[in-house]
Amino acid sequence: MFLVALSFAYFAKALSGSYMKSTITQLERRFDIPSYLTGVIDGSFEIGNLLVIAFVSYFGAKLHRPKIIAMGCVLMAVGTFIIALPHFLIGRYKFETSIRSSVNSTNNLSPCPARLLSPSSQASGCEGESNLSMWIYVFLGNVLRGIGETPVQPLGISYIDDFAREENAAFYIGCVQTIAVIGPVFGYLLGSLCAKIYVDIGFVNMESITISPGDARWVGAWWLGYLIAGVITLLSAIPFWFLPRSLPIPSDRGPAQCTPERTSFIKDPPLLEHKYQADEPAGFLEMAKDFIPTLKTLLGNPVYFIYLCVTIVQLNSLIGMVTYKPKYIEQHYGQSASKANFLMGTINIPAVALGIFTGGLLMKRLKLSIMGAAKFAFGTSLIGYFLSLFFFVMSCENVKVAGITLPYNRSFISACNSDCVCSGRDWDPVCGENGITYVSPCLAGCQTSTGSGKNTVFSNCSCVVAAGLSSGNLTASVGHCPHRDDCDRVFPYFLALSVITSFIISLGGTPGYMVLIRCIKPQLKSLALGFHTLSTRTLAGIPAPIYFGAVIDTTCLKWGQKRCGGRGACRIYNTTAYRIAYLGLTMGLRTVSFLLCILGFVLLKQHLRREECSAHQVANGGAELEALRKEEVLASNSDQSLQTSTTDYNNTERETRL
């Protein structure tokens, strides 16, 4: 029952976490912020963990672990609801456009010259500008989610490992991690569904919306998914309130028995005779005094320390890659946010779940030693690394945008639109008959327009004629031009390779995790798991989305503009530079982690040799102790015999005297 409850809690927290990553581009556009700032929002979850993880892992292991997990789930639910709060406090979403939204309008409109904002309209726009700071609520809600998630992993995993049979512990943990990876499937699918729905659905006339989900200005109903995720998280807290503090320890976990799996890992013979009990009574001050010495003992384990370093570097690569992968699919391969999230949820994540489950099953069947598990995890990661190098050749050309990726003499203003008073700050793309996207109808040199909404057609576009087509009434339609054919051919290969590499790398997930558990003493298990989570989230979970986002921001070609001035969200990226920066940073970090793994194998071998020597000495010491005890018994018997003989002699002598 605890396994089922913990799996559901893992599912809930994974769903809300993956949904957060699926809304990265939606948050950028809704609050008009750059990628590095959405990275700060995404990393705020780890900040919440940083605040309490060490103390929850240490003190929580000695208290009622199921109830602490239940309280954490409730906090996660509250934080998720707070994230959705800005939608109900901020005004309606207004995107930049020069297209008439009135459905009944049949008048011809001239996008040339451009209508400039009057001082009064600027002032009215700036009145709502302060509302954009409401992304702070998203930040704070994610921090609270991080605080609530803190006890789930270290206390839950240690609870299973304490009370499950030795040979089943790895399999159970593999099951929990598999369910945890299924959560993102539904998280990304939920993100895909909500990205199709307009942000202000139910409050605006959808026929008046002139943009589609593929537009760089589109914002989906990001808030709706957080409400759903919050309810699911709240439900996951219920079972833990009714679970006991401890469970009966299986009979085969006594000192007399030791499974083949246990004997294949690092041994600690003196501790095998004393199974650490998490619910031993202890005063708060006693636990606090013992915290620092215990932490020093933990970090003094060289295998644990190098494992910590390797996972920190690898998680920097993994978290940065996963956070911006949907955006990479959007920008590089021209897919909508909804489709990118759908593909992540239905293709990529299931491959990871299958890999983790298979890795746990292989670990149980093969009964891998600690060295075997480490080699298995390293080998799968190395194969995935070499396969990932092929992503660099799966490239697409930049979208053809006049004045950005195609020359207007490196300026938006050209002879074809010089008669118009156009603003280069706007982003209101139209697609000309020549297959080139123009930043706005004005910059396309269009003289007239007919229709309204998404059906607006711009006519007499002088820049489309100047592009080399025959003269005549050349038109432009609303939105950017469809993406390149070469991307449509490459994209299926990208998806196939992504699935294969994800499966191979995730095969080593469970064996690698078991190396962490088995390289430490049993009584340090909860603290080791908690400190591992603390370190990886502090040094990987927080900084990785921020500096990945900052690097991605350097590849932006056209920034949006806020109503009161200042840089907003990016509208279009240099896809070549984006690919090199995104993939290069990911692969560079993984290269560093492999170099650390070599050192880790050396330390692991040395540690195993020392453990074998210690075990041999303990075995010899036990035999010597038994021999000494026998000698003491014999000596004691001899003394008793001598004392009896002396007493009999004295009694005989006394009788003789009498």
Side-chain angles (χ1 to χ4, degrees):
M1 291 304 300
F2 182 85
L3 182 65
V4 172
L6 186 65
S7 298
F8 187 53
Y10 263 70
F11 172 83
K13 76 183 186 69
L15 183 146
S16 57
S18 59
Y19 183 76
M20 163 63 74
K21 295 188 181 298
S22 74
T23 58
I24 287 293
T25 54
Q26 312 296 312
L27 296 176
E28 282 185 24
R29 297 167 185 174
R30 183 64 186 96
F31 299 109
D32 234 356
I33 54 179
S35 294
Y36 84 90
L37 199 50
T38 55
V40 173
I41 294 175
D42 186 69
S44 62
F45 177 85
E46 321 300 344
I47 295 176
N49 271 265
L50 171 63
L51 296 176
V52 296
I53 182 67
F55 300 99
V56 168
S57 301
Y58 183 70
F59 296 115
K62 303 175 184 297
L63 302 174
H64 198 302
R65 285 179 282 186
K67 287 188 177 180
I68 294 177
I69 294 174
M71 289 186 286
C73 291
V74 172
L75 283 178
M76 277 196 293
V78 173
T80 307
F81 291 137
I82 292 177
I83 293 176
L85 185 61
H87 172 75
F88 302 97
L89 301 178
I90 199 172
R92 300 286 169 257
Y93 175 57
K94 297 179 182 178
F95 53 89
E96 48 188 328
T97 182
S98 59
I99 301 172
R100 176 180 287 271
S101 60
S102 175
V103 178
N104 297 325
S105 173
T106 56
N107 298 329
N108 291 342
L109 300 175
S110 175
C112 175
R115 298 189 301 274
L116 300 178
L117 290 174
S118 64
S120 59
S121 62
Q122 288 183 0
S124 62
C126 290
E127 290 177 359
E129 193 73 15
S130 60
N131 290 331
L132 297 181
S133 62
M134 286 195 174
W135 64 265
I136 297 293
Y137 285 94
V138 181
F139 178 89
L140 296 177
N142 213 27
V143 170
L144 192 59
R145 276 190 59 243
I147 294 175
E149 192 267 351
T150 302
V152 177
Q153 179 180 358
L155 300 187
I157 296 297
S158 64
Y159 192 93
I160 289 177
D161 198 60
D162 280 342
F163 301 114
R165 296 180 183 273
E166 293 282 355
E167 67 271 14
N168 293 333
F171 179 69
Y172 289 160
I173 293 174
C175 291
V176 172
Q177 291 183 335
T178 301
I179 299 298
V181 180
I182 293 177
V185 173
F186 290 89
Y188 279 108
L189 289 178
L190 182 61
S192 174
L193 176 63
C194 294
K196 289 182 180 179
I197 305 173
Y198 187 65
V199 60
D200 292 323
I201 184 73
F203 298 95
V204 296
N205 182 4
M206 292 304 298
E207 294 182 357
S208 65
I209 303 300
T210 60
I211 56 177
S212 62
D215 196 287
R217 296 163 293 173
W218 175 270
V219 177
W222 59 274
W223 52 273
L224 181 60
Y226 287 111
L227 296 181
I228 297 173
V231 172
I232 295 175
T233 306
L234 193 60
L235 293 175
S236 70
I238 297 176
F240 291 103
W241 294 108
F242 304 99
L243 286 165
R245 180 173 180 172
S246 61
L247 298 174
I249 299 177
S251 58
D252 63 344
R253 299 198 68 160
Q257 298 189 22
C258 187
T259 63
E261 178 191 350
R262 180 65 179 178
T263 58
S264 64
F265 287 99
I266 287 180
K267 307 174 184 64
D268 194 359
L271 291 171
L272 286 176
E273 300 179 359
H274 172 65
K275 175 63 184 175
Y276 173 68
Q277 297 297 325
D279 57 352
E280 291 178 353
F284 182 82
L285 293 178
E286 294 178 2
M287 292 188 293
K289 290 178 181 178
D290 192 45
F291 177 72
I292 298 299
T294 305
L295 186 60
K296 288 182 179 179
T297 302
L298 178 65
L299 296 179
N301 186 330
V303 178
Y304 177 81
F305 183 77
I306 197 67
Y307 182 93
L308 197 62
C309 295
V310 170
T311 51
I312 285 173
V313 177
Q314 286 187 341
L315 283 176
N316 268 275
S317 173
L318 178 64
I319 292 172
M321 183 269 293
V322 171
T323 300
Y324 294 101
K325 190 169 186 177
K327 184 173 182 175
Y328 177 76
I329 294 174
E330 291 178 51
Q331 298 296 329
H332 195 75
Y333 295 102
Q335 308 297 324
S336 66
S338 175
K339 187 174 182 179
N341 291 328
F342 178 80
L343 293 173
M344 284 286 292
T346 58
I347 297 179
N348 211 226
I349 303 299
V352 175
L354 181 61
I356 290 178
F357 179 79
T358 305
L361 193 60
L362 289 174
M363 180 112 185
K364 177 179 173 63
R365 292 289 179 86
L366 300 178
K367 294 182 173 61
L368 295 175
S369 65
I370 187 170
M371 181 59 72
K375 289 180 179 179
F376 184 84
F378 178 79
T380 55
S381 183
L382 191 62
I383 294 172
Y385 173 83
F386 287 120
L387 289 176
S388 298
L389 294 175
F390 288 99
F391 286 126
F392 283 98
V393 300
M394 298 181 178
S395 59
C396 290
E397 297 180 355
N398 286 309
V399 182
K400 296 179 180 180
V401 181
I404 298 180
T405 60
L406 292 179
Y408 256 157
N409 295 325
R410 297 187 180 278
S411 171
F412 291 116
I413 306 301
S414 179
C416 62
N417 57 29
S418 58
D419 294 337
C420 302
V421 183
C422 300
S423 171
R425 298 174 55 188
D426 297 332
W427 178 258
D428 191 15
V430 294
C431 179
E433 286 188 47
N434 56 356
I436 297 176
T437 300
Y438 295 86
V439 174
S440 68
C442 180
L443 291 172
C446 300
Q447 303 297 321
T448 59
S449 66
T450 57
S452 61
K454 297 179 182 179
N455 299 320
T456 302
V457 177
F458 300 93
S459 307
N460 298 323
C461 301
S462 57
C463 290
V464 178
V465 176
L469 297 179
S470 58
S471 60
N473 183 17
L474 296 179
T475 63
S477 57
V478 175
H480 55 74
C481 294
H483 280 262
R484 297 75 65 204
D485 292 336
D486 60 331
C487 279
D488 294 335
R489 292 191 298 267
V490 171
F491 188 55
Y493 296 102
F494 168 82
L495 292 178
L497 184 61
S498 180
V499 169
I500 294 172
T501 54
S502 297
F503 174 77
I504 292 176
I505 293 174
S506 60
L507 278 174
T510 301
Y513 199 76
M514 293 307 296
V515 172
L516 167 64
I517 293 178
R518 298 306 186 198
C519 74
I520 53 178
K521 298 178 180 180
Q523 69 267 32
L524 298 178
K525 191 172 3 184
S526 292
L527 180 61
L529 293 172
F531 191 79
H532 174 266
T533 305
L534 167 68
S535 301
T536 53
R537 289 183 170 174
T538 303
L539 302 178
I542 295 175
I546 298 175
Y547 66 75
F548 263 81
V551 170
I552 290 172
D553 283 339
T554 62
T555 66
C556 183
L557 296 175
K558 177 69 171 69
W559 289 96
Q561 298 293 324
K562 295 181 180 180
R563 290 190 294 272
C564 297
R567 194 173 72 175
C570 185
R571 301 305 186 192
I572 184 173
Y573 292 88
N574 183 334
T575 56
T576 301
Y578 194 136
R579 183 182 74 256
I580 295 174
Y582 173 73
L583 296 177
L585 188 55
T586 301
M587 301 302 289
L589 289 169
R590 291 175 64 184
T591 302
V592 174
S593 72
F594 289 138
L595 297 177
L596 291 173
C597 280
I598 297 174
L599 176 61
F601 279 115
V602 175
L603 293 175
L604 183 57
K605 287 182 179 179
Q606 294 176 353
H607 194 65
L608 286 172
R609 289 172 185 170
R610 286 196 299 267
E611 291 293 334
E612 290 176 359
C613 292
S614 299
H616 183 67
Q617 290 174 1
V618 170
N620 291 339
E624 293 175 0
L625 182 61
E626 186 66 24
L628 288 174
R629 287 177 178 174
K630 290 181 179 179
E631 291 179 2
E632 289 178 358
V633 171
L634 291 174
S636 177
N637 292 337
S638 299
D639 291 342
Q640 290 178 0
S641 300
L642 180 60
Q643 185 177 1
T644 302
S645 301
T646 304
T647 304
D648 292 342
Y649 172 78
N650 292 335
N651 291 337
T652 303
E653 183 180 3
R654 183 180 178 186
E655 290 175 0
T656 303
R657 287 176 181 174
L658 289 174

